[in-house]
């Protein structure tokens, strides 16, 4: 009797885990920024589906959980596909070259062979993102490039 409920919970947990990894991947966030921009309709639908899921509880009927988990999955898949199709073109044209450089520096920082190389690449990412000032890109003051 709990199988549909458990499957629904697992589905949303999987989406949240993947989305969380995407949030911490600085290069991905830069290159697919539409997924993190709530002004994009498909992203807004995904965020709305996640908020609706958060309103559910242990007493929510399994059918509702299944319906809401499907909405989270479908809206995430659509928002992700849209963001990956748009890619860097989601950014203002004047920001695209700098964003490409920032994404490259983020990848370099994440895969740096030395600490000095990582520090320089990280500083480059912070400098570029600070100059762009786009709310849906990673906040430079809270930026951590993964090792």
């Amino acid at each position: 009797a709990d199988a549909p409920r458990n499957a629904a919970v697992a589905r949303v947990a999987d989406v949240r885990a993947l989305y969380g990894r995407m949030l911490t991947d600085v290069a991905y966030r830069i290159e697919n920024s539409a997924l993190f921009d709530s002004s994009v309709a498909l992203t807004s639908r995904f965020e709305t589906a996640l908020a609706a899921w958060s309103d559910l509880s242990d007493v929510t009927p399994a059918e509702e959980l299944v319906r809401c988990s499907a909405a989270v999955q479908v809206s995430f898949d659509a928002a992700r596909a849209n963001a990956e199709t748009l890619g860097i073109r989601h950014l203002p044209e004047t920001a695209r070259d700098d964003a490409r450089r920032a994404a490259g520096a983020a990848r370099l920082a994440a895969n740096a062979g030395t600490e000095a190389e990582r520090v320089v690449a990280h500083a480059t990412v912070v400098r570029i993102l600070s100059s762009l000032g786009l709310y849906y890109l990673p906040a430079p003051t809270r930026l951590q490039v993964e090792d």
Side-chain angles (χ1 to χ4, degrees):
D2 288 336
R5 177 180 294 279
N6 294 340
V9 170
R11 174 187 291 176
V12 174
D14 289 347
V15 168
R16 283 184 168 165
L18 178 56
Y19 184 64
R21 287 191 301 275
M22 292 171 165
L23 277 169
T24 61
D25 183 335
V26 176
Y28 183 89
R29 283 191 62 186
I30 294 167
E31 293 172 333
N32 302 287
S33 60
L35 183 58
F36 310 98
D37 182 356
S38 59
S39 73
V40 175
L42 291 171
T43 298
S44 179
R45 286 186 195 125
F46 168 58
E47 291 172 350
T48 300
L50 273 180
W53 177 263
S54 296
D55 289 341
L56 304 179
S57 70
D58 291 340
V59 298
T60 303
E63 300 80 28
E64 180 68 6
L65 285 175
V66 169
R67 187 190 66 71
C68 285
S69 72
V72 168
Q73 180 73 63
V74 168
S75 63
F76 172 72
D77 290 345
R80 179 182 180 187
N82 180 60
E84 290 176 357
T85 298
L86 288 172
I88 207 90
R89 291 175 297 130
H90 172 68
L91 298 171
E93 190 170 339
T94 57
R96 293 175 189 167
D97 287 340
D98 285 340
R100 283 184 191 93
R101 282 190 289 280
R107 276 190 293 284
L108 180 61
N111 300 306
T114 67
E115 180 64 14
E117 186 179 41
R118 188 193 70 74
V119 168
V120 169
H122 181 265
T124 300
V125 174
V126 169
R127 181 183 49 77
I128 292 171
L129 291 180
S130 295
S131 73
L132 294 177
L134 297 169
Y135 72 90
Y136 45 85
L137 292 179
T141 56
R142 298 184 356 192
L143 183 65
Q144 292 197 4
V145 178
E146 297 298 316
D147 294 324

